[in-house]
Amino acid sequence: MAGRRETGLAAVAGLVAGVVTIGVGAAVSLLTGPSSDPLVAVGSAFVDATPAWLKEFATTNFGTNDKLVLALGEVVVLLALAALAGVLAARRWAWGAVLVVLLGAVSALAATARPDAGTLAGVPSVVGTIAGLWTLRFLIRRIPDASASQREAAQGRRGFLQASLVAGAAGALALVIGRTFGATARKAEQARGGLVIPKASTPAAPVPAGVDVGVDGVDPWLTPADEFYRIDTALTVPSVDPSTWRLRIHGMVENEVTLTWDELIASDLVEAYVTLACVSNPVGGDLISNQKWLGLPIKGLLEKAGPTGDADMVLSRSVDGFTAGTPLAALMDGRDALLAIAMDGEPLPFEHGFPVRMVVPGLYGYVSATKWVEDLTVTRFADAQAYWTQRGWSAEGPVKTQSRIEVPRRDTTVTAGPVVVAGTSWAQHRGVRGVQVRVDDGAWNDATLADDGGIDSWRQWTWTWDAEPGDHELYVRAFDPAGPQTGAVQGEVPDGATGYDTVRVKVS
Ligand SMILES: Nc1nc2c(c(=O)[nH]1)N[C@H]1C(S)=C(S)[C@@H](COP(=O)(O)O)O[C@H]1N2
Ligand SMILES: [Mo]
């Protein structure tokens, strides 16, 4: 860049690039969650790092405006740094670029360090920074050179200001869009942070210590909430503020019923361990997890509504339009079919349906586990179709009895002699009665079952194999009260995969 650019214009270029950065960052955060918004992330990190005395000073002097003062302060500091970056960039591009990248890195780090950060939390900062750098480069290049004639300089200045105006307006628009649409998400996030989960009126039966077989490589019996499998059609995770949440129960009922959040948490809540499984889980797959849920039994609500005539299905709908069709009988027969509000003693994570979702033991998620649920229509299978049923999956989806070998891992080599084979089986709401393991074409051998955590949860098992050298195949099957699971191989469509999980190992 030959010659010195006008310092004032360079500062303007920096300011505009700053606005574009935070605007684009805010807009992108609509996809990645409110706490990933660069301004929010940096502000929150600042609040966390603020010493107690300064926090007190802020609240005593600014009262409830302390957040506003913080936000203003943050914007002022940021814009000053942005102007500085512009001035530096006009002298030497690399200096300005380094400052912009540093600011972007701080923001990305702040966003990924939030306790509720998703895997993509740094993305808005990175995308915003790239947009900002590009804007800065574009504008700096348009600043008229000091060597230009007066006429050229005046023309150049006009062109620069026009370009700045357009870029600045675009950045501001992105910011307004990000902020306006992000407001609901921020509200829901605040609400979730402030919730106190009530105690269960009916706590779950205590789980025996031996539900875990204690073999390295076997998934924990209780899936950590942040490792719970996630399946849904939501491009962006819905943000629902519990204070405005309502559930409407209508259709083939005597009385239409609505339920608010306050009514829900004031009700007698039930706690239950339930293993949730996806119909798309292939044999041996991991689209299955076990957790402790707290919620209101759906049965009582339906009794209040009073299903009429030959109603046999409840079509549940989420705020984003997903629907599931659950057999009315499964909701009324006394199993722990819940409107769940908590998982592992905490409010539901947003991805798992905050503030309220359904959990029904014994049924695949696609026919029962509606997240962000807001509407229950009592109807008939003959009259209504749910989301996945319209797309070729079965109307009813009872979970199939299945087993998985987790140790040894497939295609590994083990040493001849005693080898521990271990894994998990499930037959939700029927219960696993036994598990057997077979080597190659040999006879079935009884595995040892881990302690029982209830018929709605999966069950671990182990078997010690006296392994002989060579290539071998291990097979597993579980028994429920009706007998052994089927070995017939069937794919996931239309109602869940069947067949024996098979693990090939080399014994040396
Ligand atoms: N709103 C909504 N709820 C939904 C779905 C969805 O796409 N949208 N998917 C269902 C399916 S197919 C499954 S397997 C479970 C998964 O729940 P999880 O993501 O909490 O594990 O949610 C069910 N509930
Ligand atoms: Mo699913």
Side-chain angles (χ1 to χ4, degrees), residues 3 15 129 174 215 239 245 323 346 354 433 444 459 469 474 489:
L15 283 175
T129 304
V215 173
S239 297
W245 177 86
T323 50
E346 298 283 334
F354 180 84
R433 289 285 175 86
W444 288 103
R459 188 118 182 231
L474 297 166
V489 174

Side-chain angles (χ1 to χ4, degrees), residues 254-275:
E254 269 152 24
N255 325 292
E256 195 173 312
V257 173
T258 56
L259 181 73
T260 65
W261 173 260
D262 286 339
E263 288 164 353
L264 203 179
I265 60 168
S267 311
D268 287 341
L269 301 182
V270 169
E271 197 181 61
Y273 290 91
V274 177
T275 297

Side-chain angles (χ1 to χ4, degrees), residues 134-157:
W134 185 84
T135 309
L136 188 62
R137 181 121 186 127
F138 177 80
L139 290 178
I140 292 283
R141 282 187 170 165
R142 304 200 145 216
I143 298 177
D145 203 90
S147 61
S149 73
Q150 234 173 21
R151 237 194 74 218
E152 277 171 351
Q155 223 172 32
R157 204 170 294 140

Side-chain angles (χ1 to χ4, degrees), residues 13 16-18 20-21 24 93 97 100-101 126-142 163 166-168 170:
V16 170
V20 168
T21 304
V24 168
W93 168 249
V100 173
V101 169
V126 172
V127 177
T129 304
I130 292 170
L133 272 179
W134 185 84
T135 309
L136 188 62
R137 181 121 186 127
F138 177 80
L139 290 178
I140 292 283
R141 282 187 170 165
R142 304 200 145 216
V166 172

